Amino acid sequence: MASEPLAHLEKAGSHGDVLKHIVLRSHIIAQQEAHPEGIMFVDTHCGEGLYDLGEQKSQEYEKGIVRISQNVDDAPEEVKGYYDVVQKADQYLQNYPGSPVFAEAVLRDVDEHRLCDLHVGEVKGVKKDPMMEKGDSFHPEAVNYFMPETDKHPVIFIDPSYTSDEDFYQTRNLMERILAKNPYATVIISYPLIENNRYRYTFTKTLKDSAKKNAKIGYYHNWVIVQKTGMQGSSIFIANPTKKFDDIVDEEVLDYLSAILLKVGRSEYSLDQWMKKPKKKVQPKGAEPKEEGGPPQFAF
């Protein structure tokens, strides 16, 4: 079984990273538009920040970011925005940026950036000195670091290495601890779709069921399949997304990725977004109707 740092290196620039970082960048921007007062972006398993692709034995990047680079002219705008970050990190594609670099590329001065990783003490490629904590993100008390008292909207990104099936279970538990503390918090989860894995089909259902119960706004979910065997594809789940995020990272984006990243067999993708309806206030019988106005019940 690969160590966590090695696992991050071996999947850097892969088809899973491409989908993950497109969604991550786009959703941070969407949350910024919804929260001009600022967001607090937290990366629970941040990794090293920048990965030397020359050290990658699997060469998964050749079937991910390299294919995007060869077809970027025809790409949707969300993909081009993602590729701009990759190019600014290293225009020669010798190094691939991790999630801390993608986040820093779009975070504003009013936003806050927090990182955590059990195995990494210093993150490469970031320049604005985000807060860094070396520790176990799955520890029950870690949620206090992820969610301090703040007026900024929390956007928490969970992406462990999944070198153990335990990571699936722990990821769901962490999401539930976050939502228990703030049911409006946004939680972004990236995970692999692995052939014959016990969580291959059940993990998404448990996330959706949990979000329906614990999240106040709803969820967004997508997946892209690119091959028949092994790591068949990847998936992104967001608890409490912005309204109509499925119009941003939409079917056009997923259809493009599905075609460009195809390895073996027939590619497939899926997209759905489910939003809770605000409860209507019922006027007492005989009461005077109140004028509409004031802040909305939900801030998307």
Side-chain angles (χ1 to χ4, degrees), residues 85-98:
V85 178
V86 175
Q87 285 281 279
K88 288 177 182 177
D90 188 337
Q91 63 176 320
Y92 301 107
L93 295 184
Q94 294 176 341
N95 295 278
Y96 183 83

Side-chain angles (χ1 to χ4, degrees), residues 46-86:
C46 66
E48 296 181 1
L50 202 61
Y51 299 93
D52 183 349
L53 296 179
E55 296 181 1
Q56 187 184 90
K57 294 180 180 179
S58 66
Q59 296 187 321
E60 282 296 307
Y61 73 93
E62 292 186 353
K63 303 167 186 176
I65 181 56
V66 170
R67 292 190 178 185
I68 298 297
S69 70
Q70 294 168 343
N71 297 274
V72 72
D73 290 343
D74 299 324
E77 289 305 312
E78 300 305 311
V79 179
K80 289 180 178 178
Y82 150 83
Y83 188 67
D84 284 345
V85 178
V86 175

Side-chain angles (χ1 to χ4, degrees), residues 230-263:
M231 184 175 165
Q232 297 172 311
S234 56
S235 185
I236 304 292
F237 183 86
I238 306 177
N240 294 325
T242 55
K243 191 176 183 179
K244 297 183 179 179
F245 185 64
D246 55 344
D247 288 339
I248 299 175
V249 178
D250 57 7
E251 290 189 13
E252 180 189 8
V253 173
L254 298 180
D255 185 59
Y256 167 86
L257 293 177
S258 180
I260 297 302
L261 301 176
L262 175 63
K263 296 180 183 178

Side-chain angles (χ1 to χ4, degrees), residues 184-197:
Y184 291 94
T186 296
V187 183
I188 307 173
I189 297 173
S190 173
Y191 56 100
L193 302 176
I194 305 170
E195 180 189 21
N196 296 328
N197 183 273

Side-chain angles (χ1 to χ4, degrees), residues 49-209:
L50 202 61
Y51 299 93
D52 183 349
L53 296 179
E55 296 181 1
Q56 187 184 90
K57 294 180 180 179
S58 66
Q59 296 187 321
E60 282 296 307
Y61 73 93
E62 292 186 353
K63 303 167 186 176
I65 181 56
V66 170
R67 292 190 178 185
I68 298 297
S69 70
Q70 294 168 343
N71 297 274
V72 72
D73 290 343
D74 299 324
E77 289 305 312
E78 300 305 311
V79 179
K80 289 180 178 178
Y82 150 83
Y83 188 67
D84 284 345
V85 178
V86 175
Q87 285 281 279
K88 288 177 182 177
D90 188 337
Q91 63 176 320
Y92 301 107
L93 295 184
Q94 294 176 341
N95 295 278
Y96 183 83
S99 51
V101 178
F102 278 95
E104 185 179 79
V106 294
L107 289 175
R108 309 162 297 186
D109 290 341
V110 72
D111 299 322
E112 185 176 343
H113 194 184
R114 290 190 171 208
L115 307 175
C116 185
D117 199 288
L118 181 60
H119 306 281
V120 176
E122 183 177 355
V123 178
K124 305 171 187 175
V126 293
K127 303 173 183 179
K128 298 180 182 178
D129 195 26
M131 185 178 293
M132 176 70 193
E133 181 74 19
K134 188 175 183 180
D136 182 3
S137 295
F138 289 142
H139 191 283
E141 294 183 5
V143 72
N144 297 320
Y145 168 70
F146 302 150
M147 302 182 69
E149 292 295 328
T150 179
D151 293 331
K152 303 180 189 299
H153 177 70
V155 179
I156 301 173
F157 177 55
I158 308 174
D159 179 35
S161 64
Y162 298 100
T163 53
S164 167
D165 283 354
E166 185 74 8
D167 284 350
F168 290 93
Y169 172 78
Q170 294 279 24
T171 293
R172 186 202 66 189
N173 284 354
L174 177 54
M175 181 184 80
E176 291 182 348
R177 284 195 293 272
I178 292 167
L179 295 177
K181 190 162 185 176
N182 182 350
Y184 291 94
T186 296
V187 183
I188 307 173
I189 297 173
S190 173
Y191 56 100
L193 302 176
I194 305 170
E195 180 189 21
N196 296 328
N197 183 273
R198 60 183 294 193
Y199 292 103
R200 172 63 177 83
Y201 298 101
T202 61
F203 188 58
T204 298
K205 184 179 185 305
T206 63
L207 293 179
K208 288 183 176 181
D209 289 346

